[in-house]
Amino acid sequence: MSIKLLVLVFSLLIIFTRPKLIADHHLTTRISPIYPSISTFQPSIPPFLPPSPSRRAQSPTVKPSLPFVPALFVFGDSSVDSGTNNFLGTLARADRLPYGRDFDTHQPTGRFCNGRIPVDYLGLPFVPSYLGQTGTVEDMFQGVNYASAGAGIILSSGSELGQRVSFAMQVEQFVDTFQQMILSIGEKASERLVSNSVFYISIGVNDYIHFYIRNISNVQNLYTPWNFNQFLASNMRQELKTLYNVKVRRMVVMGLPPIGCAPYYMWKYRSQNGECAEEVNSMIMESNFVMRYTVDKLNRELPGASIIYCDVFQSAMDILRNHQHYGFNETTDACCGLGRYKGWLPCISPEMACSDASGHLWWDQFHPTDAVNAILADNVWNGRHVDMCYPTNLETMLHS
């Protein structure tokens, strides 16, 4: 009981005594605006910073400058949150060390990782979180990150953690951003900017972690896993169509990872020798199948849309099975946490973390290390290790 009380005290400290934030607009970009009406805008950011120092992060695929991609807009959960939850009353926060210790600045930014998240490795702009941006609408011309840890496709997913911004609310925030752009640079220029930008969407896992698996509102008696997946896909479809209706054309939809292999679920399901929780992974694979079909159907229905689906499960399992090939030596224990597989208690202090995360697949209970994120990003970009994106990869989509 005393340990649980200690965790609660630490959690409250995290919420109410956070350190000074590292604003994303102090980071980097590789892309210049391409429209005459905004070509004079020069963001005050330093030159490109090198990747974080993990072994695999030192040599990701070199991505050329892409002048035809003016901006990156990110939607999702903790897999891509770059600081939104720093400004919310929630237990789901990563604004304290050891989070961010291997990031370019070696300081926490709100990313749920020891270093970079996948979107940081794509060769597209580092963009500020929607709640963290401090400038004018012009500062959003190179993109915004709306992702919020704990968020899901279902509005109430993650509610036990505190405040979060659901996927539907994130889409509403973008629509508001788009309207601000129209007022600033006009409708035509705004539509050109948006239609040529990349929209990266990584969400859905919390609808399992914090809703279905926990049987919130007796959902398991109302929906079979298959029907629940159909429900999620239907909601995702509606939000993607909302984005399409405000001129979004280039979208990357990320599938769900094998969370049954995450330290928390190996601890929870009492894995004896590091076996994944297959019951959980089976639901995830089924969900990914339905979501891929949904994306394929939208590509046929929406004229001019270019939506790719990337199977994170496939890529992550390749890393897990061939971990020695990739240079990993620890596939079950998280770098930071407490208990068996470091999956019982979350990462809440530097003393709980290992000294070197580069050999670990998992950073904490649920999130991979930046070394894994670098590999995933390479696969999204051009299938460097595994062809995980359908009908094509991001590089091919952008050049088509």
Side-chain angles (χ1 to χ4, degrees):
M1 188 68 182
S2 60
I3 294 179
K4 292 183 178 178
L5 180 61
L6 178 63
V7 173
L8 177 61
V9 172
F10 268 113
S11 300
L12 292 174
L13 285 173
I14 289 172
I15 292 177
F16 296 110
T17 60
R18 59 181 173 85
K20 187 177 186 296
L21 303 177
I22 306 298
D24 277 345
H25 62 264
H26 290 306
L27 299 179
T28 180
T29 181
R30 298 186 191 181
I31 301 174
S32 300
I34 65 174
Y35 302 107
S37 56
I38 57 174
S39 60
T40 57
F41 171 63
Q42 296 295 330
S44 56
I45 49 181
F48 177 71
L49 296 170
S52 59
S54 72
R55 290 192 301 253
R56 282 143 302 273
Q58 289 179 347
S59 57
T61 297
V62 176
K63 296 147 184 93
S65 178
L66 301 172
F68 46 88
V69 182
L72 171 67
F73 295 92
V74 182
F75 304 78
D77 49 33
S78 58
S79 61
V80 286
D81 186 347
S82 65
T84 293
N85 279 32
N86 293 346
F87 302 91
L88 301 177
T90 175
L91 296 175
R93 294 168 71 134
D95 57 349
R96 281 180 170 270
L97 291 171
Y99 288 95
R101 71 177 194 185
D102 299 320
F103 191 68
D104 305 75
T105 57
H106 302 291
Q107 294 294 326
T109 64
R111 289 164 170 81
F112 284 74
C113 187
N114 60 306
R116 293 187 179 192
I117 51 180
V119 291
D120 297 331
Y121 284 112
L122 290 177
L124 298 171
F126 272 38
V127 294
S129 67
Y130 181 73
L131 297 182
Q133 40 137 354
T134 57
T136 62
V137 64
E138 286 80 10
D139 294 328
M140 296 188 278
F141 286 160
Q142 291 184 314
V144 180
N145 188 321
Y146 303 92
S148 173
I153 298 172
I154 298 172
L155 184 65
S156 58
S157 290
S159 59
E160 76 278 6
L161 298 174
Q163 293 179 316
R164 69 262 171 253
V165 185
S166 70
F167 184 42
M169 294 172 67
Q170 293 175 35
V171 172
E172 287 182 16
Q173 289 175 339
F174 169 73
V175 173
D176 180 68
T177 300
F178 182 62
Q179 292 171 345
Q180 292 182 54
M181 288 179 178
I182 291 175
L183 293 174
S184 177
I185 61 175
E187 186 172 359
K188 293 296 183 183
S190 298
E191 290 180 358
R192 287 197 303 272
L193 189 154
V194 167
S195 64
N196 284 283
S197 296
V198 170
F199 286 72
Y200 187 105
I201 301 158
S202 177
I203 199 162
V205 73
N206 288 317
D207 296 298
Y208 286 92
I209 293 175
H210 297 296
F211 196 87
Y212 194 82
I213 295 175
R214 295 182 68 243
N215 199 24
I216 300 298
S217 301
N218 203 32
V219 65
Q220 292 180 15
N221 291 334
L222 300 174
Y223 290 92
T224 65
W226 177 257
N227 289 334
F228 185 69
N229 290 330
Q230 295 280 350
F231 175 73
L232 292 181
S234 176
N235 281 271
M236 172 67 83
R237 171 188 170 85
Q238 186 57 50
E239 298 304 332
L240 295 182
K241 290 181 73 174
T242 298
L243 290 173
Y244 178 84
N245 289 335
V246 288
K247 308 305 178 182
V248 174
R249 295 297 180 265
R250 295 168 162 177
M251 293 181 252
V252 178
V253 177
M254 303 298 290
L256 305 184
I259 58 170
C261 301
Y264 173 80
Y265 282 107
M266 286 196 294
W267 166 78
K268 182 178 177 64
Y269 282 77
R270 303 180 185 277
S271 173
Q272 294 302 308
N273 299 298
E275 305 92 352
C276 300
E278 293 305 324
E279 177 185 343
V280 176
N281 279 351
S282 293
M283 288 188 290
I284 297 301
M285 286 191 289
E286 198 173 79
S287 175
N288 287 342
F289 174 82
V290 175
M291 201 63 70
R292 179 176 173 179
Y293 172 78
T294 300
V295 168
D296 182 60
K297 191 174 181 181
L298 283 172
N299 274 320
R300 295 195 304 268
E301 292 178 2
L302 304 178
S306 183
I307 311 174
I308 63 175
Y309 169 82
C310 296
D311 193 339
V312 178
F313 193 104
Q314 177 187 3
S315 181
M317 292 307 293
D318 177 72
I319 297 171
L320 183 63
R321 295 186 184 108
N322 302 295
H323 58 274
Q324 292 181 327
H325 169 74
Y326 288 104
F328 295 105
N329 53 38
E330 180 53 71
T331 62
T332 57
D333 286 20
C335 174
C336 189
L338 193 65
R340 189 169 191 187
Y341 304 119
K342 302 291 183 71
W344 177 40
L345 294 180
C347 178
I348 56 177
S349 73
E351 291 72 26
M352 297 173 71
C354 64
S355 59
D356 182 8
S358 64
H360 286 252
L361 291 183
W362 298 99
W363 165 245
D364 62 14
Q365 289 177 305
F366 297 105
H367 305 99
T369 58
D370 72 340
V372 172
N373 288 337
I375 297 169
L376 293 175
D378 279 344
N379 289 339
V380 171
W381 177 250
N382 63 6
R384 181 182 183 185
H385 309 283
V386 173
D387 287 323
M388 61 178 279
C389 297
Y390 309 92
T392 187
N393 56 54
L394 179 57
E395 181 181 31
T396 302
M397 181 183 78
L398 295 179
H399 283 90
S400 61

